Structure formats: structure tokens, C-alpha cells
Amino acid sequence: MKANYHKYILDFKRPSGTSRGVLKTKETWFIVITDGQKKGIGECGILRGLSYDDRPDYEEKLRWTCAHIDQGPEILWDALSEYPSIQFGVEMAFLSLEAQDPFVLFPSKYTSGEDTIPINGLIWMGDEVFMKEQIDEKLHTGFDCIKMKIGAIDVDKEMQLLQMIRKHYDANTVTLRVDANGAFAFAKAKEVLFQLAELDIHSIEQPIKSGDWDSMRKLCAYPLTPIALDEELIGITTVTKKRELLQTIRPQYIILKPSFVGGYKGSKEWIDIAASLGIGWWITSALESNIGLNAIAQWTYELKAKGHQGLGTGGLFTNNIEAPLEVNGGQLIYNNHKNWDFKIS
């Protein structure tokens, strides 16, 4: 068994804004393993400044992983507890190696083209005109779930955009989600929750910065807009700590990015604990290339995940890997009439 890795920089078609700043490029790493006859590929997707494993020795740990690849996915997963994106890349690569088709990790009606995955349409931060353009485009192309990033421009203007949607589409027609990426202070977050409740908003992701469990618990206790934890989950690696967090905060939802929380195994730990506490969940990609997005989407379908998933990021880049993944009418589709344009080397 041998393995190697290489870096790949994804370029955004248009700089994409969050409350933390504007993204122009996205760094990712591919890990390839071979048993001498077949090859498998995994993606280790990292977001600088946000990923738990954003650290100076990241490439060194990738090199170590490749040198010890013969230990297998289970032992490596335990050894890589501080590197969730590499945990995921290793899981993905071994499944790819074992599969009949290295890009079909979980054969299903989704991968055969018989079924689709409903996804939300993502509205990136920008000026009011740009955000309205995105909203109009998503609604025109058939999305019935919109997720808008808030907290960067004037909140009143963001509320006006949401009001514009609600003026024409009620909650039974279009589901609205917002993502604050921890933009608000506690007092402001309370105010925003009241405003969102009047607009029948499905949920708000991470209204305050992660780490303040007591304040987040108080926000989640209000019978207003449901709260979904996102960044709050990053860096929580043990089952005991995961349960403690969810029992303490009691959010309405959690959002799982496999690259951030230890791949399939780490995500499933969160899902099992959430289910035992009556907490909802959905799956979101973390700006991976189509290699990682494909692996997440197939697993999401395998889980029978309910509702709209956050898997619509494949079209953001100018140099993404050509893949059979398509978005049509708010649905993610695996189009078997298209081929992968990627040589595993």
C-alpha cells in the first residue's frame, strides 16, 4: 500500500464574502492511495482561519499519513484526531480504492440518476444590489430554499432583502435560512432573532461566536427563530465533549461539515447524539472541490438526510474538477451521461 498527496488551489469565479472577510481562493489537498492495482482518491479540504487543523504542521501531517497508510483507515482516524480534514480524506480515499468505480463510494438511486438531493441556494455577502441579484437568480432557477449570509452589511438592509422575498413567497413556498457566522454580540443577536421570527425564518446559523456556551444556551432557549450550531462544533473531538456541548446548549439544529468534524465517523457521532436529544441536523460541504462534494453528497443520500442540504458549492470555482454533478431546480443531480475529467495519479 502506497500513498501520495498534492495541493490544489481553487479560484472563486467572484470573490465571495462572509462576516470574516472575502474569499478569493480556496486551498485543498488530494490524497491518493494505491494497492498496486487500483487507486483511490480523497480530499482533505481546509479553510484557513476556520478549520481546526489550520496549523503550520498540516503538510507534515499529510506526509506522515502517507508514510503510514498501510495502518488502514480505522487506526489512522484515531491517530489523526487533531486533523479532521485529513481524517475525512483518508476515509474517502480508502472507500474510493475499494469501490468498483473510484468516484462512486455509496452506490444508490442518487448515483444511478434515479433520485436527487434537495439543496439550499447560497446567497453570499456583498452590497445590496449583488445580494438581490443572487436572490433573484436562485428563485428564478427553481430553488425553494434560500440561505443568506448576514452580518456584513447593514442589518436593516439585510432584513429588507428577506422582507422582499417574504412579500412574494410565504414560508410554505420558500424556506429561508440565514447564516451569521458568529457576527453578532449577544444583545444584538437577541434583537435579530425577534426580527427574523416575524419573517418565518427556518433557522439562523451561529448567531454569536463559538465558545460561549452559556450565551448560546440562552439564545437557543428563546421560542423565536431556531438556532443551528455550525462553528460551535469545530474542535470538539471526543464523544463525551460532543454530548456535553449538545446537552448544555440544546440547539434546535446542528450543521455538519465532514471536513471540519472528522469525516463520516466524526459526523455520525454528532448525528447519533443529536438524535438522542431530539436535535435536527443537515449536511453541508465546506467549499471542497467536486471530489469532496461528491463524497459528501453520496453519503448524505445514504443517511436519508431530511430536508434541504448545503451541497450547492460546486459551481463557485473557475477551475473545479469536471464532474457529473449538476444543480437543476434546487436539486443536486448525479448525471451519468457526464464523465469525470480527473486522472488519479
Side-chain angles (χ1 to χ4, degrees):
M1 188 81 67
K2 294 182 179 180
N4 63 73
Y5 68 91
H6 64 273
K7 186 177 184 178
Y8 192 77
I9 301 296
L10 292 157
D11 298 315
F12 280 85
K13 291 177 180 177
R14 175 168 180 163
S16 298
T18 74
S19 61
R20 293 190 190 85
V22 176
L23 301 173
K24 296 181 180 179
T25 61
K26 161 66 169 62
E27 171 187 341
T28 201
W29 301 77
F30 295 125
I31 184 167
V32 176
I33 59 177
T34 179
D35 61 5
Q37 297 181 333
K38 297 174 65 180
K39 291 181 179 180
I41 183 168
E43 179 171 357
C44 306
I46 187 170
L47 271 176
R48 294 297 181 183
L50 183 58
S51 296
Y52 181 56
D53 44 9
D54 175 16
R55 41 197 291 175
D57 64 347
Y58 188 84
E59 186 173 358
E60 181 182 332
K61 185 55 67 171
L62 272 172
R63 190 178 300 114
W64 177 91
T65 301
C66 289
H68 295 82
I69 202 69
D70 57 348
Q71 292 185 9
E74 290 82 12
I75 293 175
L76 285 174
W77 193 91
D78 290 336
L80 293 165
S81 61
E82 299 295 307
Y83 301 84
S85 65
I86 304 179
Q87 285 178 317
F88 186 34
V90 169
E91 285 180 322
M92 200 188 308
F94 272 98
L95 285 170
S96 174
L97 179 69
E98 295 163 3
Q100 184 174 349
D101 179 332
F103 299 108
V104 179
L105 311 186
F106 299 93
S108 67
K109 287 187 176 181
Y110 165 70
T111 57
S112 68
E114 300 172 75
D115 203 358
T116 61
I117 300 173
I119 60 174
N120 58 231
L122 182 60
I123 308 301
W124 289 92
M125 289 176 173
D127 60 36
E128 187 177 359
V129 173
F130 174 55
M131 292 180 76
K132 185 177 184 302
E133 286 176 354
Q134 293 178 82
I135 291 168
D136 290 342
E137 186 269 334
K138 290 292 187 293
L139 293 172
H140 177 72
T141 54
F143 281 89
D144 61 1
C145 180
I146 301 294
K147 171 183 164 181
M148 193 171 96
K149 289 185 175 289
I150 64 172
I153 65 173
D154 185 273
V155 175
D156 291 336
K157 290 183 178 180
E158 292 167 340
M159 291 298 166
Q160 289 171 11
L161 289 170
L162 293 168
Q163 289 167 357
M164 176 198 72
I165 301 173
R166 274 291 170 257
K167 182 178 179 181
H168 300 285
Y169 303 93
D170 64 20
N172 293 321
T173 307
V174 173
T175 298
L176 290 179
R177 296 170 173 168
V178 297
D179 182 3
N181 288 126
F184 303 116
F186 177 73
K188 185 63 177 179
K190 288 175 63 178
E191 179 183 323
V192 169
L193 289 177
F194 276 104
Q195 292 176 288
L196 295 175
E198 296 177 354
L199 296 171
D200 285 325
I201 302 300
H202 173 272
S203 56
I204 177 172
E205 295 180 31
Q206 205 68 43
I208 63 174
K209 289 182 179 180
S210 61
D212 187 349
W213 290 14
D214 186 57
S215 293
M216 189 68 84
R217 177 187 60 79
K218 291 175 181 176
L219 291 175
C220 290
Y222 289 124
L224 298 167
T225 303
I227 291 175
L229 301 186
D230 182 0
E231 288 91 338
E232 202 74 60
L233 311 184
I234 297 174
I236 310 297
T237 60
T238 68
V239 172
T240 300
K241 200 69 175 178
K242 290 175 182 181
R243 181 170 293 279
E244 181 187 353
L245 183 147
L246 294 186
Q247 286 178 330
T248 300
I249 297 178
R250 295 281 176 165
Q252 284 73 36
Y253 299 101
I254 59 172
I255 299 170
L256 299 160
K257 295 182 172 79
S259 291
F260 285 5
V261 298
Y264 300 132
K265 183 177 179 180
S267 299
K268 192 60 168 58
E269 289 175 351
W270 280 112
I271 288 171
D272 290 344
I273 297 166
S276 72
L277 298 172
I279 296 169
W281 55 272
W282 66 87
I283 308 294
T284 299
S285 54
L287 301 178
E288 295 86 358
S289 78
N290 278 332
I291 297 293
L293 177 60
N294 174 62
I296 295 169
Q298 291 182 27
W299 180 68
T300 300
Y301 187 85
E302 184 84 359
L303 289 175
K304 298 181 173 60
K306 297 178 181 179
H308 298 85
Q309 309 299 309
L311 303 174
T313 57
L316 293 174
F317 307 110
T318 61
N319 60 337
N320 206 342
I321 310 302
E322 288 295 321
L325 304 179
E326 294 180 351
V327 175
N328 188 4
Q331 303 286 321
L332 184 64
I333 299 166
Y334 196 93
N335 185 349
N336 281 294
H337 298 294
K338 288 189 173 182
N339 296 317
W340 285 88
D341 185 14
F342 187 82
K343 184 178 180 181
I344 303 176
S345 58

